[in-house]
Amino acid sequence: MLDLSRLRALHAVHVHGSVSAAAKALGYTPSAVSQQVTKLERETGTPLLERQGRGVVLTDAAGMLVDRTARMLAIMETAEVALEEQRGRPSGRLTVAAFSTAARGLLPRPLAELTRRYPDLDLRVVEEDPHATPHMVAQGTVDLAVVHDWDIAPMTVPDGVVRTVLGEDRCDVVLPRDHPLAALPVLNRKDVAAARWICQPPGTVCHDWLMRTLRPVRAEPDVAHFVAEYQTQIALVEVGLGIAIVPRLGRGSVPDTLVVKPLEPTPVRGVSALWREGTSRRPAVTETVRLLREHTMLL
């Protein structure tokens, strides 16, 4: 009989594209994943991975095994959900992926509440880019994901993944208290068109939003500093290097030397939860989503 843990390791290599990526997803070391696949090759008497350049590719036999392993994993998940549903309370492991500001500004309180209420629930958190997490949910790497998207870049989710809206995350302009625009109650695009900006790098939704919003009133916005982390953006604003658009979720307290002003049109991120359709009845999923929505409304 084939060992399911070894089949799972091979399946992870297929899903994630490499031994190292599979190891990260499974919480193993790359050598442990390689050992699992090597043992599976001995069990089957068949080569399963072939070297190609610096990576590996699956053989035809491995592809056949991966296809059937995916079906077995789906059956196992159905059985686990049914068992937890019969217990009537959240239990087992639940891995939640979230983008950075949600991990800081939304998850701590509801997850702490879940841990207090349900001692049989083993919660795990993974901070990930929201563009990667829909496929992580679909592939079974994580059980639940908190993601965001913008009106200029709506998110599409893979087949078999359920999405529900938790709420909205509005963004404001952060600028020094002595800045010439600090006296205005509300800023518009023309007010900030000539400003020096601190913004996320090109290719991110935040950067695209800024470009599309300000280009109609200025040839090209002056982004002086490209910084991914919002807290670092605030630190650069504080020393006078520019102004920034920062979401309220996870922003935390702002130094007294800075002011926060609304911008029109208001940048708004939609915040949603994703999970696999097969786990929709799992108590751990339904209760976590309920608490996340409840806490999002309080922000």
Side-chain angles (χ1 to χ4, degrees):
M1 183 177 295
L2 298 178
D3 186 286
L4 183 58
S5 62
R6 294 166 191 168
L7 289 168
R8 191 191 295 269
L10 180 65
H11 180 265
V13 174
H14 166 71
V15 167
H16 301 286
S18 70
V19 171
S20 59
K24 179 181 178 182
L26 294 172
Y28 299 157
T29 63
S31 61
V33 171
S34 295
Q35 289 172 16
Q36 291 284 67
V37 174
T38 298
K39 290 177 181 178
L40 186 60
E41 286 180 324
R42 286 202 297 265
E43 283 182 348
T44 60
T46 306
L48 299 175
L49 297 181
E50 294 179 348
R51 289 284 179 187
Q52 188 175 82
R54 300 181 65 180
V56 295
V57 295
L58 273 68
T59 64
D60 290 342
M64 178 273 294
L65 283 176
V66 162
D67 179 64
R68 284 155 178 77
T69 300
R71 299 180 204 175
M72 288 190 290
L73 293 175
I75 293 170
M76 285 183 58
E77 182 172 78
T78 300
E80 289 167 351
V81 169
L83 184 60
E84 186 178 323
E85 189 178 9
Q86 188 179 57
R87 294 193 191 103
R89 65 183 185 280
S91 60
R93 177 175 292 192
L94 185 77
T95 303
V96 182
F99 57 97
S100 59
T101 50
R104 180 171 61 247
L106 173 59
L107 262 59
R109 290 186 179 181
L111 295 193
E113 187 172 341
L114 283 164
T115 300
R116 287 194 300 270
R117 288 187 185 181
Y118 308 107
D120 294 333
L121 181 61
D122 180 12
L123 279 169
R124 307 293 176 103
V125 175
V126 180
E127 185 179 306
E128 285 287 349
D129 184 282
H131 294 292
T133 47
H135 295 286
M136 294 175 68
V137 173
Q139 295 161 354
T141 305
V142 299
D143 303 300
L144 186 69
V146 179
V147 299
H148 72 72
D149 61 357
W150 302 68
D151 55 353
I152 66 167
M155 176 176 289
T156 57
V157 299
D159 291 340
V161 173
V162 179
R163 175 180 180 176
T164 187
V165 174
L166 298 175
E168 292 183 340
D169 182 21
R170 293 179 173 268
C171 305
D172 304 294
V173 178
V174 178
L175 63 165
R177 188 172 292 278
D178 58 0
H179 194 281
L181 298 176
L184 298 176
V186 179
L187 304 176
N188 60 48
R189 291 185 297 177
K190 290 183 179 180
D191 294 328
V192 299
R196 286 172 64 83
W197 286 93
I198 301 162
C199 182
Q200 290 192 323
T204 61
V205 178
C206 298
H207 180 271
D208 292 346
W209 190 95
L210 184 67
M211 296 296 106
R212 295 191 193 189
T213 299
L214 297 187
R215 275 174 181 157
V217 292
R218 180 180 171 83
E220 189 71 16
D222 181 12
V223 180
H225 308 285
F226 296 103
V227 177
E229 174 57 49
Y230 289 115
Q231 293 301 315
T232 306
Q233 290 183 19
I234 290 174
L236 296 181
V237 173
E238 188 175 15
V239 295
L241 294 179
I243 67 175
I245 293 178
V246 180
R248 297 176 186 179
L249 181 61
R251 184 171 65 200
S253 60
V254 174
D256 293 339
T257 54
L258 303 180
V259 294
V260 178
K261 297 290 181 177
L263 176 67
E264 293 294 342
T266 304
V268 177
R269 306 192 296 182
V271 181
S272 303
L274 309 177
W275 64 90
R276 287 182 298 286
E277 189 174 1
T279 62
S280 291
R281 296 170 62 92
R282 184 183 173 189
V285 170
T286 57
E287 181 67 359
T288 301
V289 171
R290 184 188 70 79
L291 284 174
L292 286 172
R293 182 183 291 114
E294 186 178 288
H295 281 265
T296 303
M297 294 175 65
L298 296 175
L299 296 174

